[in-house]
Amino acid sequence: MSRIARVETFRVDLPVLKTFVFASGTAGSAGATAPHIFVKLIDDEGRIGWGEARPSPSWSYETAETILSTIHGYLGPAVIGLPISDRWGLHLRMRQVIGLGPSTGQPIAKAAVDVALHDLCARAAGMTLRAFLGGSDERAEVELSYTLTAHDAPSVREDVAEGRTAGFRHFNYKVAVEPATDLAIAGTIRDEAGPDAFVWADANQGLSLHGARRLAAGLAAAGTDVLEQPLRADAGHLMVALRQSTTMPLAVDESSVSATDFFRTAAAGVVDYLVIKVTRSAGLWPTLQQIAIADAAGLGLLVSGLTDSMITKLAACQVAAAVGCTGPAGLNGSQFVDDSELFPTKGELEVGGFVRLGSGLGIGIEPDETALRRLAGDAVAASVS
């Protein structure tokens, strides 16, 4: 069995296409750039795997600087020499150098290394990632959800029409950004999207318990299908109180970083869905643990991301396809960030409102390394070997 021989990191600031504001901050403003850290694992036979970290400091405490220093100074040296098949050992080593504390400890940085290892392992095995994870290559399609950014009825209508024209059938939107309009736009979205659309509201921790109770009642009446992360991530007792006062389907995101977090949430009976977000959960290995808990608890699955590039988008779709989750997936990176220079063939995989996974080994896509190195420039971190 080959072993990890080298870890390389690249920071690229990709152009932001559209402003994306949520209750706890923003994922970028149109005309600005958004940092992405790409990780390349190389084994001692010269095979490679790719991972990605998308820091969003207003959503999580990790920044581009901490991700680079964590991988270069701690995670990278810790995993050198590890057999590429040892995914359990990978996380053991990463936990030993960056401890758990009250959270996973730098989960976005760890996810980049984890995804790169899974990509490398699947390529070495001559398999697609979904088959490597125990799924079938026949499950090759994941439907996407279109992210709406408007907060007034006329603009929402335009947003929904834009999404439908692009081939999307399902929609997600942010609440608690402009609370006075939340209920009005909920009704508008349902009317414009139609009865068969899955409509998904995400509060990003922006509500009080009173506000969440009021909004949940209104969203249920308006036909919204799920309310995600209405309350602070560290306020599990408030989620219990909310669950007792509403039948609105609920999900959590920011408060479910680890498998232990989600076990507590599922055992408390406060959610109806697990939100699969590989970057929040430190990668695919911990995500599979969360999925097993959700399956045992009889809970549904949703998929989301952090305006990631195609590396994380396809990794998330591969794991979703492996376990039979066909979407809709809120993987909206292509709506907000231009990564086309790095992934010139992405149009072959993103078709309308779907990701159609091909037969390519591993994740199924990799960055154009010439373009990556050119865009990274001086931001290429010293590699670890």
Side-chain angles (χ1 to χ4, degrees):
M1 178 60 62
S2 66
R3 295 175 181 270
I4 298 172
R6 189 175 180 87
V7 182
E8 296 180 359
T9 56
F10 307 82
R11 173 180 173 160
V12 174
D13 294 304
L14 297 176
V16 176
L17 301 170
K18 189 175 183 180
T19 301
F20 184 21
V21 178
F22 43 90
S24 58
T26 177
S29 300
T33 59
H36 289 66
I37 312 300
F38 293 92
V39 174
K40 181 182 180 183
L41 289 191
I42 307 166
D43 73 4
D44 54 15
E45 297 181 15
R47 292 175 297 213
I48 64 172
W50 288 96
E52 173 199 0
R54 167 66 170 105
S56 184
S58 60
W59 186 86
S60 170
Y61 53 79
E62 289 176 84
T63 67
E65 293 78 13
T66 65
I67 287 170
L68 285 168
S69 64
T70 296
I71 293 174
H72 184 245
Y74 299 90
L75 304 181
V79 304
I80 294 296
L82 185 77
I84 67 168
S85 63
D86 193 358
R87 294 170 288 162
W88 177 83
L90 179 88
H91 282 273
L92 176 63
R93 289 191 181 190
M94 291 197 295
R95 285 197 303 269
Q96 287 173 337
V97 294
I98 298 290
L100 292 173
S103 78
T104 297
Q106 303 286 30
I108 297 175
K110 288 176 178 175
V113 178
D114 167 285
V115 169
L117 184 74
H118 278 83
D119 187 35
L120 174 54
C121 269
R123 289 174 187 239
M127 304 170 76
T128 66
L129 180 56
R130 61 191 181 279
F132 180 77
L133 295 176
S136 169
D137 282 340
E138 295 180 0
R139 292 196 294 273
E141 185 174 88
V142 177
E143 192 164 11
L144 300 175
S145 177
Y146 191 82
T147 298
L148 306 171
T149 60
H151 299 285
D152 63 88
S155 298
V156 163
R157 293 188 185 97
E158 293 177 6
D159 261 8
V160 173
E162 183 179 274
R164 293 181 73 88
T165 299
F168 291 80
R169 299 190 303 159
H170 308 289
F171 298 88
N172 60 89
Y173 66 105
K174 299 297 185 180
V175 293
V177 178
E178 297 182 20
T181 67
D182 284 344
L183 293 181
I185 67 168
T188 301
I189 292 168
R190 172 54 71 192
D191 290 344
E192 296 297 313
D196 297 328
F198 188 90
V199 177
W200 173 0
D202 184 5
N204 290 111
Q205 310 182 70
L207 298 168
S208 65
L209 177 58
H210 174 73
R213 284 171 167 159
R214 175 179 174 276
L215 183 61
L219 293 180
T224 298
D225 291 292
V226 64
L227 173 59
E228 178 186 347
Q229 199 64 58
L231 302 163
R232 282 190 356 240
D234 60 352
H237 61 292
L238 297 183
M239 280 296 293
V240 172
L242 177 61
R243 172 81 290 166
Q244 293 170 345
S245 59
T246 183
T247 58
M248 178 77 201
L250 301 173
V252 291
D253 181 0
E254 292 93 328
S255 61
S256 183
V257 175
S258 70
T260 303
D261 290 333
F262 191 68
F263 176 81
R264 285 196 297 263
T265 300
V270 298
V271 293
D272 303 272
Y273 291 93
L274 164 66
V275 176
I276 299 170
K277 182 174 281 183
V278 298
T279 48
R280 177 206 67 217
S281 302
L284 300 179
W285 184 256
T287 293
L288 292 171
Q289 295 173 343
Q290 290 186 337
I291 290 171
I293 293 167
D295 182 60
L299 303 177
L301 302 177
L302 297 170
V303 184
S304 75
L306 288 172
T307 60
D308 314 282
S309 85
M310 291 296 288
I311 294 288
T312 300
K313 185 172 198 168
L314 261 65
C317 287
Q318 292 276 7
V319 71
V323 299
C325 178
T326 57
L331 298 167
N332 54 21
S334 293
Q335 278 187 248
F336 298 101
V337 177
D338 182 5
D339 61 354
S340 57
E341 191 169 355
L342 292 176
F343 304 100
T345 63
K346 62 183 290 184
E348 299 171 8
L349 299 168
E350 288 184 309
V351 184
F354 295 83
V355 168
R356 295 196 167 100
L357 300 166
S359 58
L361 302 184
I363 291 171
I365 200 169
E366 61 183 71
D368 179 319
E369 193 164 343
T370 299
L372 178 64
R373 290 183 180 276
R374 183 179 67 254
L375 292 172
D378 293 337
V380 179
S383 58
V384 178
S385 58

